[in-house]
Amino acid sequence: SQYQVPMWIWYSPRYKELHPEMVEKIQMAAHRPFQTDDIPHLILELAGVKCKYFDPARSLINDQFNTSRPRKVTVKK
């Protein structure tokens, strides 16, 4: 079986005008594997928040994003 949850990032025309580098990072990440566990790291980067909990290897739009990290699905019976 295959499990996929759709993921999209919306940005306004104004955001695109003010942050073209971030928009480019978003567009370049369109085909990367992703799991919902990594959403907090993505949100921190999108918001520009710097903290000890941020892991660039888990942020979809970061150049250090780990595309080879195993993605796991747990199925309860």
Side-chain angles (χ1 to χ4, degrees):
S1 296
Q2 185 175 7
Y3 298 88
Q4 293 184 3
V5 177
M7 173 66 180
W8 55 270
I9 301 171
W10 179 88
Y11 48 83
S12 68
R14 180 74 173 145
Y15 183 88
K16 184 176 180 178
E17 179 183 312
L18 294 175
H19 307 283
E21 70 292 336
M22 191 65 76
V23 170
E24 182 178 350
K25 290 172 88 172
I26 292 167
Q27 291 172 345
M28 296 298 291
H31 299 289
R32 289 180 173 172
F34 190 65
Q35 62 187 29
T36 55
D37 294 0
D38 296 335
I39 288 176
H41 302 278
L42 172 62
I43 291 172
L44 287 171
E45 184 157 4
L46 287 169
V49 175
K50 307 288 186 209
C51 68
K52 66 180 182 178
Y53 303 106
F54 173 70
D55 181 356
R58 294 185 66 187
S59 174
L60 181 67
I61 62 172
N62 195 287
D63 292 337
Q64 297 178 41
F65 181 69
N66 184 354
T67 58
S68 62
R69 188 166 68 90
R71 271 65 181 178
K72 299 177 183 177
V73 175
T74 303
V75 179
K76 293 183 180 181
K77 292 184 179 190

mmCIF file of all heavy atoms in Angstrom, residues 37-77:
data_model
loop_
_atom_site.group_PDB
_atom_site.id
_atom_site.type_symbol
_atom_site.label_atom_id
_atom_site.label_comp_id
_atom_site.label_asym_id
_atom_site.label_seq_id
_atom_site.Cartn_x
_atom_site.Cartn_y
_atom_site.Cartn_z
ATOM 1 N N ASP A 37 5.687 14.723 10.297
ATOM 2 C CA ASP A 37 6.547 14.935 11.467
ATOM 3 C C ASP A 37 7.482 16.128 11.271
ATOM 4 O O ASP A 37 7.978 16.693 12.247
ATOM 5 C CB ASP A 37 7.412 13.708 11.734
ATOM 6 C CG ASP A 37 6.612 12.490 12.136
ATOM 7 O OD1 ASP A 37 5.376 12.593 12.209
ATOM 8 O OD2 ASP A 37 7.220 11.435 12.366
ATOM 9 N N ASP A 38 7.752 16.492 10.032
ATOM 10 C CA ASP A 38 8.697 17.559 9.736
ATOM 11 C C ASP A 38 8.057 18.947 9.606
ATOM 12 O O ASP A 38 8.756 19.933 9.411
ATOM 13 C CB ASP A 38 9.466 17.241 8.448
ATOM 14 C CG ASP A 38 10.330 16.005 8.589
ATOM 15 O OD1 ASP A 38 10.713 15.667 9.737
ATOM 16 O OD2 ASP A 38 10.641 15.373 7.569
ATOM 17 N N ILE A 39 6.758 19.016 9.716
ATOM 18 C CA ILE A 39 6.057 20.294 9.548
ATOM 19 C C ILE A 39 6.554 21.376 10.513
ATOM 20 O O ILE A 39 6.749 22.522 10.099
ATOM 21 C CB ILE A 39 4.525 20.116 9.622
ATOM 22 C CG1 ILE A 39 4.048 19.415 8.345
ATOM 23 C CG2 ILE A 39 3.813 21.452 9.803
ATOM 24 C CD1 ILE A 39 2.575 19.090 8.319
ATOM 25 N N PRO A 40 6.794 21.076 11.791
ATOM 26 C CA PRO A 40 7.274 22.153 12.679
ATOM 27 C C PRO A 40 8.577 22.793 12.196
ATOM 28 O O PRO A 40 8.739 24.015 12.296
ATOM 29 C CB PRO A 40 7.477 21.444 14.019
ATOM 30 C CG PRO A 40 6.544 20.272 13.968
ATOM 31 C CD PRO A 40 6.548 19.833 12.529
ATOM 32 N N HIS A 41 9.475 21.991 11.637
ATOM 33 C CA HIS A 41 10.747 22.538 11.153
ATOM 34 C C HIS A 41 10.526 23.425 9.926
ATOM 35 O O HIS A 41 11.149 24.472 9.783
ATOM 36 C CB HIS A 41 11.721 21.397 10.844
ATOM 37 C CG HIS A 41 11.972 20.539 12.037
ATOM 38 N ND1 HIS A 41 12.874 20.877 13.016
ATOM 39 C CD2 HIS A 41 11.398 19.372 12.429
ATOM 40 C CE1 HIS A 41 12.868 19.943 13.954
ATOM 41 N NE2 HIS A 41 11.974 19.022 13.626
ATOM 42 N N LEU A 42 9.616 23.014 9.067
ATOM 43 C CA LEU A 42 9.265 23.817 7.893
ATOM 44 C C LEU A 42 8.655 25.150 8.315
ATOM 45 O O LEU A 42 9.038 26.208 7.815
ATOM 46 C CB LEU A 42 8.292 23.045 7.000
ATOM 47 C CG LEU A 42 7.681 23.814 5.835
ATOM 48 C CD1 LEU A 42 8.746 24.272 4.856
ATOM 49 C CD2 LEU A 42 6.629 22.952 5.140
ATOM 50 N N ILE A 43 7.725 25.107 9.263
ATOM 51 C CA ILE A 43 7.063 26.331 9.722
ATOM 52 C C ILE A 43 8.060 27.284 10.377
ATOM 53 O O ILE A 43 8.010 28.501 10.142
ATOM 54 C CB ILE A 43 5.893 26.001 10.668
ATOM 55 C CG1 ILE A 43 4.776 25.319 9.871
ATOM 56 C CG2 ILE A 43 5.373 27.249 11.369
ATOM 57 C CD1 ILE A 43 3.647 24.775 10.714
ATOM 58 N N LEU A 44 8.965 26.735 11.178
ATOM 59 C CA LEU A 44 9.976 27.594 11.798
ATOM 60 C C LEU A 44 10.802 28.312 10.739
ATOM 61 O O LEU A 44 11.061 29.513 10.858
ATOM 62 C CB LEU A 44 10.894 26.768 12.713
ATOM 63 C CG LEU A 44 10.295 26.304 14.021
ATOM 64 C CD1 LEU A 44 11.240 25.327 14.716
ATOM 65 C CD2 LEU A 44 9.970 27.478 14.929
ATOM 66 N N GLU A 45 11.199 27.590 9.697
ATOM 67 C CA GLU A 45 12.005 28.231 8.652
ATOM 68 C C GLU A 45 11.192 29.263 7.869
ATOM 69 O O GLU A 45 11.676 30.347 7.586
ATOM 70 C CB GLU A 45 12.592 27.192 7.701
ATOM 71 C CG GLU A 45 13.493 27.840 6.678
ATOM 72 C CD GLU A 45 14.511 26.906 6.067
ATOM 73 O OE1 GLU A 45 14.514 25.716 6.363
ATOM 74 O OE2 GLU A 45 15.310 27.410 5.274
ATOM 75 N N LEU A 46 9.953 28.919 7.527
ATOM 76 C CA LEU A 46 9.107 29.868 6.800
ATOM 77 C C LEU A 46 8.881 31.147 7.599
ATOM 78 O O LEU A 46 8.816 32.236 7.031
ATOM 79 C CB LEU A 46 7.761 29.226 6.457
ATOM 80 C CG LEU A 46 7.776 28.188 5.350
ATOM 81 C CD1 LEU A 46 6.449 27.445 5.296
ATOM 82 C CD2 LEU A 46 8.096 28.826 4.007
ATOM 83 N N ALA A 47 8.769 31.007 8.917
ATOM 84 C CA ALA A 47 8.524 32.162 9.780
ATOM 85 C C ALA A 47 9.802 32.911 10.150
ATOM 86 O O ALA A 47 9.738 33.983 10.743
ATOM 87 C CB ALA A 47 7.808 31.708 11.049
ATOM 88 N N GLY A 48 10.952 32.336 9.819
ATOM 89 C CA GLY A 48 12.213 32.981 10.145
ATOM 90 C C GLY A 48 12.587 32.868 11.613
ATOM 91 O O GLY A 48 13.360 33.663 12.130
ATOM 92 N N VAL A 49 12.030 31.867 12.296
ATOM 93 C CA VAL A 49 12.298 31.670 13.719
ATOM 94 C C VAL A 49 13.600 30.893 13.892
ATOM 95 O O VAL A 49 13.793 29.844 13.282
ATOM 96 C CB VAL A 49 11.138 30.909 14.404
ATOM 97 C CG1 VAL A 49 11.461 30.593 15.847
ATOM 98 C CG2 VAL A 49 9.847 31.702 14.288
ATOM 99 N N LYS A 50 14.484 31.413 14.724
ATOM 100 C CA LYS A 50 15.750 30.749 15.040
ATOM 101 C C LYS A 50 15.658 30.214 16.469
ATOM 102 O O LYS A 50 15.416 30.985 17.400
ATOM 103 C CB LYS A 50 16.926 31.729 14.943
ATOM 104 C CG LYS A 50 16.998 32.470 13.633
ATOM 105 C CD LYS A 50 17.433 31.574 12.511
ATOM 106 C CE LYS A 50 17.625 32.412 11.253
ATOM 107 N NZ LYS A 50 17.398 31.729 10.046
ATOM 108 N N CYS A 51 15.818 28.913 16.644
ATOM 109 C CA CYS A 51 15.802 28.325 17.975
ATOM 110 C C CYS A 51 16.558 27.006 17.966
ATOM 111 O O CYS A 51 16.861 26.460 16.904
ATOM 112 C CB CYS A 51 14.375 28.120 18.476
ATOM 113 S SG CYS A 51 13.455 26.859 17.588
ATOM 114 N N LYS A 52 16.849 26.487 19.139
ATOM 115 C CA LYS A 52 17.638 25.261 19.249
ATOM 116 C C LYS A 52 16.880 24.034 18.751
ATOM 117 O O LYS A 52 17.491 23.007 18.477
ATOM 118 C CB LYS A 52 18.094 25.041 20.689
ATOM 119 C CG LYS A 52 16.980 24.759 21.674
ATOM 120 C CD LYS A 52 17.533 24.547 23.069
ATOM 121 C CE LYS A 52 16.407 24.225 24.043
ATOM 122 N NZ LYS A 52 16.933 23.972 25.390
ATOM 123 N N TYR A 53 15.585 24.102 18.609
ATOM 124 C CA TYR A 53 14.784 22.957 18.181
ATOM 125 C C TYR A 53 14.730 22.798 16.667
ATOM 126 O O TYR A 53 14.337 21.759 16.165
ATOM 127 C CB TYR A 53 13.365 23.058 18.742
ATOM 128 C CG TYR A 53 13.346 23.157 20.242
ATOM 129 C CD1 TYR A 53 13.052 24.357 20.874
ATOM 130 C CD2 TYR A 53 13.681 22.058 21.033
ATOM 131 C CE1 TYR A 53 13.061 24.461 22.249
ATOM 132 C CE2 TYR A 53 13.695 22.147 22.417
ATOM 133 C CZ TYR A 53 13.381 23.359 23.023
ATOM 134 O OH TYR A 53 13.406 23.451 24.378
ATOM 135 N N PHE A 54 15.117 23.835 15.939
ATOM 136 C CA PHE A 54 15.072 23.788 14.472
ATOM 137 C C PHE A 54 16.171 22.878 13.939
ATOM 138 O O PHE A 54 17.335 23.000 14.307
ATOM 139 C CB PHE A 54 15.232 25.193 13.881
ATOM 140 C CG PHE A 54 15.356 25.196 12.394
ATOM 141 C CD1 PHE A 54 14.276 24.876 11.588
ATOM 142 C CD2 PHE A 54 16.562 25.502 11.779
ATOM 143 C CE1 PHE A 54 14.393 24.872 10.215
ATOM 144 C CE2 PHE A 54 16.690 25.510 10.401
ATOM 145 C CZ PHE A 54 15.589 25.188 9.623
ATOM 146 N N ASP A 55 15.786 21.954 13.059
ATOM 147 C CA ASP A 55 16.736 21.043 12.422
ATOM 148 C C ASP A 55 16.640 21.250 10.909
ATOM 149 O O ASP A 55 15.650 20.857 10.293
ATOM 150 C CB ASP A 55 16.411 19.604 12.780
ATOM 151 C CG ASP A 55 17.366 18.592 12.171
ATOM 152 O OD1 ASP A 55 18.258 18.988 11.391
ATOM 153 O OD2 ASP A 55 17.217 17.397 12.478
ATOM 154 N N PRO A 56 17.638 21.877 10.288
ATOM 155 C CA PRO A 56 17.567 22.149 8.847
ATOM 156 C C PRO A 56 17.431 20.888 7.997
ATOM 157 O O PRO A 56 16.866 20.934 6.912
ATOM 158 C CB PRO A 56 18.865 22.887 8.547
ATOM 159 C CG PRO A 56 19.756 22.626 9.701
ATOM 160 C CD PRO A 56 18.883 22.334 10.877
ATOM 161 N N ALA A 57 17.881 19.754 8.493
ATOM 162 C CA ALA A 57 17.758 18.491 7.752
ATOM 163 C C ALA A 57 16.317 18.005 7.694
ATOM 164 O O ALA A 57 16.000 17.093 6.928
ATOM 165 C CB ALA A 57 18.643 17.416 8.377
ATOM 166 N N ARG A 58 15.436 18.635 8.481
ATOM 167 C CA ARG A 58 14.026 18.230 8.490
ATOM 168 C C ARG A 58 13.093 19.302 7.935
ATOM 169 O O ARG A 58 11.879 19.140 7.947
ATOM 170 C CB ARG A 58 13.621 17.844 9.906
ATOM 171 C CG ARG A 58 14.377 16.597 10.367
ATOM 172 C CD ARG A 58 13.923 16.110 11.695
ATOM 173 N NE ARG A 58 12.539 15.636 11.612
ATOM 174 C CZ ARG A 58 11.836 15.279 12.663
ATOM 175 N NH1 ARG A 58 12.360 15.335 13.872
ATOM 176 N NH2 ARG A 58 10.588 14.865 12.531
ATOM 177 N N SER A 59 13.665 20.405 7.431
ATOM 178 C CA SER A 59 12.856 21.456 6.823
ATOM 179 C C SER A 59 12.845 21.278 5.310
ATOM 180 O O SER A 59 13.882 21.375 4.657
ATOM 181 C CB SER A 59 13.415 22.842 7.168
ATOM 182 O OG SER A 59 12.693 23.831 6.454
ATOM 183 N N LEU A 60 11.682 21.012 4.772
ATOM 184 C CA LEU A 60 11.505 20.696 3.357
ATOM 185 C C LEU A 60 12.189 21.679 2.418
ATOM 186 O O LEU A 60 12.724 21.297 1.382
ATOM 187 C CB LEU A 60 10.007 20.637 3.036
ATOM 188 C CG LEU A 60 9.604 20.306 1.613
ATOM 189 C CD1 LEU A 60 10.003 18.871 1.283
ATOM 190 C CD2 LEU A 60 8.117 20.507 1.428
ATOM 191 N N ILE A 61 12.234 22.949 2.771
ATOM 192 C CA ILE A 61 12.769 23.963 1.861
ATOM 193 C C ILE A 61 14.238 24.293 2.099
ATOM 194 O O ILE A 61 14.803 25.123 1.397
ATOM 195 C CB ILE A 61 11.926 25.256 1.916
ATOM 196 C CG1 ILE A 61 11.959 25.867 3.314
ATOM 197 C CG2 ILE A 61 10.502 24.988 1.455
ATOM 198 C CD1 ILE A 61 11.323 27.230 3.415
ATOM 199 N N ASN A 62 14.848 23.646 3.069
ATOM 200 C CA ASN A 62 16.239 23.936 3.400
ATOM 201 C C ASN A 62 17.187 23.148 2.503
ATOM 202 O O ASN A 62 16.914 21.992 2.154
ATOM 203 C CB ASN A 62 16.503 23.602 4.866
ATOM 204 C CG ASN A 62 17.783 24.207 5.366
ATOM 205 O OD1 ASN A 62 18.867 23.765 5.021
ATOM 206 N ND2 ASN A 62 17.650 25.245 6.179
ATOM 207 N N ASP A 63 18.325 23.747 2.152
ATOM 208 C CA ASP A 63 19.325 23.064 1.322
ATOM 209 C C ASP A 63 19.891 21.825 2.016
ATOM 210 O O ASP A 63 20.401 20.928 1.352
ATOM 211 C CB ASP A 63 20.478 24.012 0.984
ATOM 212 C CG ASP A 63 20.036 25.141 0.063
ATOM 213 O OD1 ASP A 63 19.021 24.977 -0.651
ATOM 214 O OD2 ASP A 63 20.704 26.190 0.060
ATOM 215 N N GLN A 64 19.810 21.769 3.329
ATOM 216 C CA GLN A 64 20.325 20.630 4.086
ATOM 217 C C GLN A 64 19.277 19.538 4.312
ATOM 218 O O GLN A 64 19.534 18.554 5.007
ATOM 219 C CB GLN A 64 20.853 21.103 5.437
ATOM 220 C CG GLN A 64 22.024 22.047 5.344
ATOM 221 C CD GLN A 64 22.458 22.520 6.716
ATOM 222 O OE1 GLN A 64 22.497 21.752 7.674
ATOM 223 N NE2 GLN A 64 22.777 23.794 6.824
ATOM 224 N N PHE A 65 18.082 19.686 3.739
ATOM 225 C CA PHE A 65 17.007 18.706 3.924
ATOM 226 C C PHE A 65 17.485 17.314 3.534
ATOM 227 O O PHE A 65 18.083 17.111 2.479
ATOM 228 C CB PHE A 65 15.787 19.101 3.087
ATOM 229 C CG PHE A 65 14.626 18.163 3.230
ATOM 230 C CD1 PHE A 65 13.919 18.096 4.416
ATOM 231 C CD2 PHE A 65 14.241 17.355 2.185
ATOM 232 C CE1 PHE A 65 12.840 17.236 4.560
ATOM 233 C CE2 PHE A 65 13.159 16.497 2.302
ATOM 234 C CZ PHE A 65 12.461 16.439 3.493
ATOM 235 N N ASN A 66 17.218 16.341 4.397
ATOM 236 C CA ASN A 66 17.648 14.969 4.182
ATOM 237 C C ASN A 66 16.586 14.199 3.392
ATOM 238 O O ASN A 66 15.620 13.702 3.962
ATOM 239 C CB ASN A 66 17.925 14.292 5.526
ATOM 240 C CG ASN A 66 18.457 12.889 5.381
ATOM 241 O OD1 ASN A 66 18.527 12.339 4.293
ATOM 242 N ND2 ASN A 66 18.838 12.305 6.496
ATOM 243 N N THR A 67 16.786 14.074 2.089
ATOM 244 C CA THR A 67 15.819 13.363 1.247
ATOM 245 C C THR A 67 15.950 11.849 1.370
ATOM 246 O O THR A 67 15.047 11.123 0.972
ATOM 247 C CB THR A 67 15.992 13.749 -0.233
ATOM 248 O OG1 THR A 67 17.331 13.451 -0.633
ATOM 249 C CG2 THR A 67 15.699 15.213 -0.464
ATOM 250 N N SER A 68 17.055 11.365 1.935
ATOM 251 C CA SER A 68 17.248 9.918 2.035
ATOM 252 C C SER A 68 16.827 9.343 3.390
ATOM 253 O O SER A 68 16.923 8.146 3.603
ATOM 254 C CB SER A 68 18.716 9.557 1.748
ATOM 255 O OG SER A 68 19.558 10.157 2.706
ATOM 256 N N ARG A 69 16.362 10.194 4.291
ATOM 257 C CA ARG A 69 15.905 9.712 5.596
ATOM 258 C C ARG A 69 14.695 8.803 5.412
ATOM 259 O O ARG A 69 13.781 9.126 4.644
ATOM 260 C CB ARG A 69 15.525 10.911 6.480
ATOM 261 C CG ARG A 69 15.213 10.540 7.908
ATOM 262 C CD ARG A 69 15.193 11.793 8.781
ATOM 263 N NE ARG A 69 14.087 12.670 8.477
ATOM 264 C CZ ARG A 69 12.889 12.596 9.057
ATOM 265 N NH1 ARG A 69 12.635 11.678 9.960
ATOM 266 N NH2 ARG A 69 11.940 13.432 8.732
ATOM 267 N N PRO A 70 14.666 7.654 6.086
ATOM 268 C CA PRO A 70 13.520 6.743 5.911
ATOM 269 C C PRO A 70 12.200 7.390 6.345
ATOM 270 O O PRO A 70 12.162 8.073 7.370
ATOM 271 C CB PRO A 70 13.846 5.562 6.828
ATOM 272 C CG PRO A 70 15.307 5.663 7.097
ATOM 273 C CD PRO A 70 15.669 7.110 6.982
ATOM 274 N N ARG A 71 11.190 7.198 5.550
ATOM 275 C CA ARG A 71 9.836 7.645 5.893
ATOM 276 C C ARG A 71 9.073 6.394 6.287
ATOM 277 O O ARG A 71 9.036 5.417 5.546
ATOM 278 C CB ARG A 71 9.160 8.306 4.688
ATOM 279 C CG ARG A 71 9.396 9.796 4.557
ATOM 280 C CD ARG A 71 10.792 10.119 4.308
ATOM 281 N NE ARG A 71 11.023 11.580 4.214
ATOM 282 C CZ ARG A 71 12.202 12.069 4.038
ATOM 283 N NH1 ARG A 71 13.244 11.286 3.916
ATOM 284 N NH2 ARG A 71 12.384 13.356 3.977
ATOM 285 N N LYS A 72 8.469 6.399 7.479
ATOM 286 C CA LYS A 72 7.817 5.213 7.994
ATOM 287 C C LYS A 72 6.333 5.415 8.137
ATOM 288 O O LYS A 72 5.867 6.498 8.473
ATOM 289 C CB LYS A 72 8.414 4.836 9.347
ATOM 290 C CG LYS A 72 9.895 4.506 9.281
ATOM 291 C CD LYS A 72 10.449 4.202 10.633
ATOM 292 C CE LYS A 72 11.945 3.945 10.527
ATOM 293 N NZ LYS A 72 12.552 3.704 11.817
ATOM 294 N N VAL A 73 5.608 4.339 7.933
ATOM 295 C CA VAL A 73 4.167 4.340 8.111
ATOM 296 C C VAL A 73 3.840 3.248 9.114
ATOM 297 O O VAL A 73 4.285 2.109 8.988
ATOM 298 C CB VAL A 73 3.446 4.045 6.777
ATOM 299 C CG1 VAL A 73 1.942 3.936 7.003
ATOM 300 C CG2 VAL A 73 3.770 5.114 5.749
ATOM 301 N N THR A 74 3.076 3.604 10.138
ATOM 302 C CA THR A 74 2.641 2.619 11.129
ATOM 303 C C THR A 74 1.163 2.360 10.896
ATOM 304 O O THR A 74 0.356 3.284 10.885
ATOM 305 C CB THR A 74 2.873 3.154 12.550
ATOM 306 O OG1 THR A 74 4.246 3.486 12.698
ATOM 307 C CG2 THR A 74 2.468 2.125 13.584
ATOM 308 N N VAL A 75 0.831 1.107 10.718
ATOM 309 C CA VAL A 75 -0.561 0.721 10.488
ATOM 310 C C VAL A 75 -1.030 -0.103 11.682
ATOM 311 O O VAL A 75 -0.421 -1.110 12.015
ATOM 312 C CB VAL A 75 -0.706 -0.105 9.189
ATOM 313 C CG1 VAL A 75 -2.133 -0.512 8.974
ATOM 314 C CG2 VAL A 75 -0.157 0.684 8.009
ATOM 315 N N LYS A 76 -2.087 0.361 12.316
ATOM 316 C CA LYS A 76 -2.660 -0.376 13.443
ATOM 317 C C LYS A 76 -3.714 -1.335 12.914
ATOM 318 O O LYS A 76 -4.525 -0.986 12.064
ATOM 319 C CB LYS A 76 -3.276 0.578 14.448
ATOM 320 C CG LYS A 76 -2.266 1.442 15.151
ATOM 321 C CD LYS A 76 -2.933 2.306 16.192
ATOM 322 C CE LYS A 76 -1.889 3.162 16.884
ATOM 323 N NZ LYS A 76 -2.489 3.990 17.916
ATOM 324 N N LYS A 77 -3.688 -2.546 13.425
ATOM 325 C CA LYS A 77 -4.681 -3.559 13.000
ATOM 326 C C LYS A 77 -5.682 -3.800 14.070
ATOM 327 O O LYS A 77 -5.486 -3.647 15.208
ATOM 328 C CB LYS A 77 -3.974 -4.861 12.644
ATOM 329 C CG LYS A 77 -3.137 -4.696 11.404
ATOM 330 C CD LYS A 77 -2.547 -6.015 11.028
ATOM 331 C CE LYS A 77 -1.724 -5.829 9.751
ATOM 332 N NZ LYS A 77 -1.310 -7.075 9.205
#
